[in-house]
Amino acid sequence: MPAPPRSVADVEEGLRTAGYLPGQATALVSYLAVRLGKPVLVEGPAGVGKTELAKALATMLERPLVRLQCYEGLDEAKALYEWNYRKQLLRIQARDGDAAPAPRAAEPAQAASGGAPAAAERPPGGTDASEPADAAAARDGQWQRIQEDIFGEDFLLARPLLSAISAPEPVVLLIDEIDKTDQEFEAMLLEVLSDFQISIPELGVVAARTRPVVLLTSNNSRELTEALKRRCLYLWLDYPSLEHELEIVRLHAPDLDGAVARRLVEVIDMVRALDLKKPPSIAESIDWARALLLLGAGNIDERVFTETMSVIVKHRTDMDLVAERVGVRLAAPAQAASADAAAS
Amino acid sequence: MPPQAERLPARLLAFADALRGEGVAVGTSELLDAFAALQQVSWSSQRAFREALACTLAKSPEDRRTFELVFDRFMFRAVEAIAIEPQMSERLGEGDAGAGLAELSDQQLEELRMRIAAALADGSEGAMRDLARLAIAALAREAAGSGVIGVDVQRIRRSLGLKTEPQPQLPPSDPRRDGVPREALRRFEALLRAELERSQARRAQRLPPARPLTELDRALPSGPLADLAAVHRVVAQLRRRLATQGMQARGHARHAQVDVRRTMRASLQTGGVPVVLKHRPKRPRRPEIYVLCDVSTSVTSASVFFLSVLHALHDSFRKMRSFVFIERVSEVTDVFEHERDFRTISEKITKDAGVADISGYTDYGRVFSELLSLLEDDLHPRATLIVLGDARTNGREPRADLFGQIAARAGRTFWLNPEPRLYWNYGDSVIGAYETHCRAFECWTTAQLEDFVKALTRPGEPPRELARAR
């Protein structure tokens, strides 16, 4: 376990070695998150490296990453914990088998019609009228014991949130695309995020043994509640500046020619300025850089662009628009250059 | 310096107050976070100080923008407040000696122009700040001194020959030839303004009154097409909200009606005793929407916005009919249903709808009489009618009575007016006459559209009579 970073520069350096080039704000907020132990809400358009930031932080801090991917309809059972009811049933049946195997075999019809819950509440063993009172009391006590037994930690299935806060080693918890869930889920998160504890009715409160670094990401498709925002530091990630993106592309495609990389970033910038359904993300610029590298393209001209455009633009209407606007602009300088050459 | 350190919490509280004044929700817990964050960063870097405050106090992109503006204004005023304390101003006064610069020769002035234009093209903040000071010092004699800062800024800009449009008459070496980048020019003007305010405060020995941010300052820089995306986002939210709120309504009204058949059937399991009541599922109310959209020239700028609202609504609601009008009304539901692309749609509508007759001016009276005959049988109390228009009749008959008849047939009627409320009922605007029959909203930004969406989907919608009384 490495020592926690001591300055913003440490964080910046650490993230760099993890393969993530942070902006100034990003490094500072990450540093504050580690030092203050507060969750960070990261917002921004799709594909600016929100999820990557969490991965890089985990690498930098040498902590395991626990990821909770949110989606519409995500509920507590999938996010917090769930009782392992199969195991609970097995446990009860194993006990029944020890206690009274014979009567059960004699009354198969009743057991079948009663179903599993009825069998659990009233273990088979004859009818109520024919049994003595002390036997009933004994069975009650037994049921009490079973209940204590099956609602123990052995039968608890930890889902991401519970496993993140009950982990013996500190972790990085990533709650991805929080805006996809509904407001009820957000409300449930509040306890986890502010006190780092989870209340389980049958067990009591599970408090965090270690404080995780929490990142929540959102694509801003829905306004999050004030209560959630109040508990978080806020980081807005936008598309990087030209120079910054150039650096990122260089880092991930080091073999690409410098001039081509610069041209690529400029073109991406142009494409993002258009009104597209889905502007190209950083990951797509990197993909494009790798594709150009594979094709051995020495320059981005109109032909290369139209051939490889599908790497960065993924909607039919967008493609038409981009081909029309950017393709022409790419062609224009080339024609001007050839015109100059002809003139001279 | 202990007194300085003690002052900081008070300063921060004042800053938080300034933020609250601009509508950023800053709570006590946020302030505590801000203090905790400030203890972790070095204050010598303005950038780190600002970011630490921003990430704890401003929690949305809009808030962040407001934060930047308030931060700049607040820090500027704080520095100036110290500077005009008597002992400080004497020391700083020497710096101002530059203002008494001798008149520049024409050649020097030309060089200054070149350097400023180059700095703008380059976009470096530091150089721009220095040059703004120099420009004020050099041009103060002829340009400044009108007493109104905005006028001075424009005078200086003009005498420097800075324009965003290309100036082909200039020699090719001149950086102004291709026009100055708009964004850089805006920043340069802001710097000029700050410097002029600074010198004014020094002269007067007191601070100018604090000016609240205007809607214009706050609006994010964006073109009409970026707005289209924003409109789609708002409408997507609307659909989401309708979906979840439908659920809530179902929860409340679940016990409305007992389904006798299913209850009897379920009672067979319990020997004919109806232990479990089965309820008739409550069908969520599906909004049926009629939208009427003005596309005349008086709302040209707004009609792109309106059409994009229509476009986005069509994506989200299946039972919806759209009409556009100028002098006549025409149904365009089909166009929206068959075309996905916004550009094609707006082209088709302007070309084929045939809503302009001769004059091209809106005729609300005729539109409403046509609409009434068109929709008389279709409108019913579950329908929602939305009118998008500025209610400017060009002196023609408003026929609010016809509109009243239409509104009475529809369940709910809303009017979205692209003009600020200030201009309503001035000139030929007759929104007041129509407002007696519907709820009117001012709507020319996506934020206002969002307010409307909230009003539209609120479950306990006040009945129309109530809204009328207001």
Side-chain angles (χ1 to χ4, degrees):
Chain A
M1 176 88 356
R6 247 163 305 153
S7 70
V8 182
D10 273 6
V11 175
E12 197 167 340
E13 188 54 45
L15 287 177
R16 252 167 215 280
T17 30
Y20 186 93
L21 295 181
Q24 261 178 316
T26 315
L28 186 108
V29 174
S30 316
Y31 171 70
L32 285 178
V34 177
R35 294 301 300 240
L36 301 179
K38 290 204 75 119
V40 185
L41 173 62
V42 192
E43 280 193 316
V48 289
K50 299 188 287 288
T51 310
E52 281 308 308
L53 173 62
K55 290 183 189 161
L57 263 180
T59 317
M60 179 188 96
L61 298 168
E62 292 177 21
R63 296 181 178 190
L65 178 73
V66 177
R67 179 170 175 170
L68 172 66
Q69 176 68 48
C70 296
Y71 49 86
E72 228 168 318
L74 178 69
D75 59 357
E76 297 184 26
K78 303 219 179 65
L80 288 176
Y81 65 88
E82 205 171 1
W83 290 107
N84 191 347
Y85 72 93
R86 288 198 199 90
K87 205 168 160 192
Q88 285 174 333
L89 272 182
L90 277 176
R91 182 87 188 103
I92 294 167
Q93 280 176 357
R95 235 165 213 279
D96 285 353
D98 294 347
R104 191 187 172 81
E107 288 177 289
Q110 192 199 336
S113 68
E121 278 164 34
R122 200 166 53 83
T127 54
D128 288 21
S130 70
E131 71 187 352
D134 60 327
R139 243 197 323 275
D140 276 355
Q142 191 188 6
W143 169 236
Q144 196 67 38
R145 276 200 303 285
I146 294 180
Q147 203 173 14
E148 273 162 23
D149 187 27
I150 60 172
F151 287 111
E153 281 193 45
D154 288 349
F155 296 92
L156 201 62
L157 286 177
R159 298 299 183 203
L161 289 184
L162 182 63
S163 59
I165 70 164
S166 62
E169 296 273 298
V171 298
V172 174
L173 170 64
L174 167 65
I175 303 178
D176 215 358
E177 310 198 350
I178 176 78
D179 52 335
K180 293 257 171 72
T181 61
D182 32 18
Q183 298 205 337
E184 289 77 6
F185 184 79
E186 253 179 64
M188 195 204 69
L189 271 182
L190 296 181
E191 188 191 7
V192 181
L193 292 185
S194 57
D195 302 335
F196 293 99
Q197 63 176 41
I198 292 173
S199 320
I200 301 174
E202 295 89 348
L203 266 185
V205 174
V206 179
R209 280 172 227 170
T210 53
R211 205 155 240 239
V213 172
V214 186
L215 263 85
L216 300 103
T217 75
S218 154
N219 285 335
N220 215 0
S221 78
R222 168 173 78 86
E223 191 74 7
L224 300 173
T225 56
E226 284 297 318
L228 182 77
K229 284 186 175 176
R230 198 170 310 128
R231 283 166 177 77
C232 301
L233 301 175
Y234 183 84
L235 174 63
W236 171 260
L237 277 185
D238 213 336
Y239 291 118
S241 66
L242 249 156
E243 294 302 319
H244 192 179
E245 182 156 23
L246 184 61
E247 233 181 307
I248 297 172
V249 169
R250 284 246 177 89
L251 181 76
H252 289 273
D255 299 336
L256 193 66
D257 181 57
V260 178
R262 174 163 284 280
R263 188 89 185 107
L264 175 145
V265 175
E266 282 168 5
V267 172
I268 290 271
D269 203 44
M270 262 193 261
V271 174
R272 274 188 201 140
L274 301 173
D275 171 52
L276 298 184
K277 272 200 185 124
K278 192 198 158 303
S281 67
I282 298 179
E284 279 159 329
S285 349
I286 295 171
D287 284 348
W288 196 29
R290 287 185 180 145
L292 289 179
L293 201 58
L294 268 181
L295 295 173
N299 187 20
I300 302 178
D301 52 25
E302 198 187 1
R303 193 180 56 81
V304 174
F305 182 71
T306 38
E307 275 169 7
T308 56
M309 190 168 66
S310 57
V311 181
I312 53 168
V313 188
K314 315 242 161 121
H315 275 281
R316 198 190 58 82
T317 46
D318 283 0
M319 287 183 104
D320 294 348
L321 184 69
V322 169
E324 184 186 318
R325 298 288 183 79
V326 179
V328 168
R329 236 187 290 175
L330 281 175
Q335 276 164 7
S338 60
D340 281 355
S344 64
Chain B
M1 282 187 285
Q4 292 284 332
E6 275 166 30
R7 263 196 226 163
L8 183 84
R11 278 281 156 76
L12 270 186
L13 288 178
F15 178 60
D17 251 1
L19 276 177
R20 285 185 193 132
E22 297 300 343
V24 180
V26 180
T28 314
S29 67
E30 265 115 354
L31 270 174
L32 290 176
D33 285 349
F35 282 119
L38 284 182
Q39 274 163 14
Q40 300 290 341
V41 299
S42 110
W43 296 4
S44 51
S45 144
Q46 199 215 24
R47 188 68 201 243
F49 187 83
R50 180 194 282 248
E51 287 295 339
L53 277 182
C55 76
T56 46
L57 297 180
K59 305 216 164 157
S60 69
E62 294 79 36
D63 281 359
R64 179 64 203 254
R65 189 170 164 78
T66 314
F67 173 89
E68 298 285 340
L69 294 169
V70 173
F71 186 87
D72 283 345
R73 193 185 65 183
F74 188 84
M75 290 303 155
F76 172 76
R77 288 177 68 83
V79 169
E80 287 312 297
I82 294 172
I84 59 175
E85 281 171 20
Q87 70 274 26
M88 294 290 284
S89 66
E90 271 161 41
R91 248 186 297 148
L92 284 169
E94 297 159 21
D96 268 355
L101 217 64
E103 290 286 304
L104 292 175
S105 66
D106 282 352
Q107 200 185 351
Q108 281 169 318
L109 197 58
E110 192 52 39
E111 193 183 326
L112 179 67
R113 281 183 189 141
M114 292 294 223
R115 277 181 59 189
I116 289 176
L120 285 179
D122 204 32
S124 81
E125 190 82 26
M128 267 171 23
R129 190 188 303 273
D130 291 348
L131 286 167
R133 260 181 222 161
L134 205 57
I136 291 171
L139 300 166
R141 292 283 163 277
E142 46 193 288
S146 72
V148 182
I149 287 175
V151 174
D152 287 352
V153 168
Q154 290 311 316
R155 277 192 196 161
I156 292 176
R157 185 181 68 88
R158 236 174 296 133
S159 54
L160 287 174
L162 299 171
K163 288 184 191 159
T164 49
E165 55 269 25
Q167 305 180 61
Q169 76 278 10
L170 292 170
S173 63
D174 194 312
R176 284 172 294 173
R177 192 179 144 92
D178 295 329
V180 182
R182 192 178 299 275
E183 186 58 18
L185 186 60
R186 204 181 53 76
R187 286 217 314 269
F188 185 66
E189 280 180 10
L191 285 172
L192 278 180
R193 176 180 290 275
E195 289 300 323
L196 282 171
E197 271 179 13
R198 194 189 298 270
S199 62
Q200 200 181 40
R202 298 246 165 98
R203 262 200 314 269
Q205 296 282 302
R206 67 183 168 77
L207 287 174
R211 181 178 61 97
L213 297 176
T214 60
E215 197 65 29
L216 213 64
D217 290 334
R218 215 186 297 238
L220 293 165
S222 63
L225 287 172
D227 275 350
L228 179 60
V231 168
H232 268 267
R233 215 170 40 234
V234 173
V235 176
Q237 265 181 20
L238 161 69
R239 192 176 54 161
R240 222 187 165 86
R241 210 168 280 146
L242 273 182
T244 53
Q245 285 188 342
M247 295 285 233
Q248 283 168 1
R250 270 203 291 277
H252 281 300
R254 198 173 41 193
H255 306 287
Q257 241 181 331
V258 174
D259 187 336
V260 179
R261 212 172 73 93
R262 284 180 56 223
T263 307
M264 295 304 283
R265 186 171 218 153
S267 76
L268 290 180
Q269 282 199 333
T270 47
V273 183
V275 175
V276 184
L277 284 183
K278 297 279 179 184
H279 298 280
R280 228 176 259 282
K282 170 120 176 153
R283 305 259 172 262
R285 167 177 167 163
R286 184 184 293 168
E288 196 163 316
I289 301 185
Y290 294 84
V291 183
L292 193 60
C293 179
D294 186 353
V295 288
S296 69
T297 43
S298 68
V299 286
T300 310
S301 55
S303 65
V304 175
F305 178 69
F306 279 163
L307 280 179
S308 56
V309 172
L310 262 186
H311 184 228
L313 281 171
H314 258 282
D315 267 1
S316 303
F317 296 100
R318 246 173 300 159
K319 291 199 101 182
M320 166 158 170
R321 288 174 70 183
S322 323
F323 302 86
V324 293
F325 67 89
I326 298 177
E327 290 186 283
R328 320 192 43 164
V329 69
S330 160
E331 178 157 7
V332 290
T333 315
D334 282 352
V335 181
F336 277 103
E337 262 164 22
H338 292 138
E339 275 300 335
R340 307 301 315 134
D341 185 40
F342 177 67
R343 254 166 278 266
T344 329
I345 290 176
S346 54
E347 259 172 42
K348 270 201 173 175
I349 284 177
T350 41
K351 229 176 32 215
D352 309 334
V355 284
D357 218 6
I358 304 158
S359 62
Y361 294 118
T362 329
D363 186 346
Y364 279 90
R366 181 164 167 196
V367 164
F368 286 136
S369 72
E370 280 187 19
L371 191 75
L372 187 61
S373 57
L374 252 175
L375 291 183
E376 199 158 20
D377 300 329
D378 295 349
L379 282 173
H380 54 80
R382 288 223 320 277
T384 302
L385 175 70
I386 302 174
V387 185
L388 311 168
D390 59 358
R392 293 204 173 268
T393 52
N394 306 298
R396 296 177 185 179
E397 189 60 38
R399 296 303 301 272
D401 54 321
L402 286 179
F403 181 66
Q405 284 182 36
I406 298 175
R409 280 168 198 279
R412 296 190 290 178
T413 312
F414 300 99
W415 193 299
L416 300 188
N417 194 327
E419 288 183 338
R421 208 170 262 274
L422 198 63
Y423 300 146
W424 289 13
N425 297 321
Y426 275 93
D428 55 353
S429 165
V430 291
I431 182 80
Y434 296 129
E435 210 179 351
T436 51
H437 303 290
C438 63
R439 284 179 75 185
F441 291 83
E442 107 185 69
C443 179
W444 40 286
T445 65
T446 43
Q448 286 162 338
L449 182 64
E450 235 167 292
D451 289 344
F452 165 68
V453 163
K454 278 179 199 151
L456 177 67
T457 60
R458 198 173 298 136
E461 178 64 36
R464 205 148 26 93
E465 281 69 28
L466 248 177
R468 215 179 280 174
R470 243 185 294 153

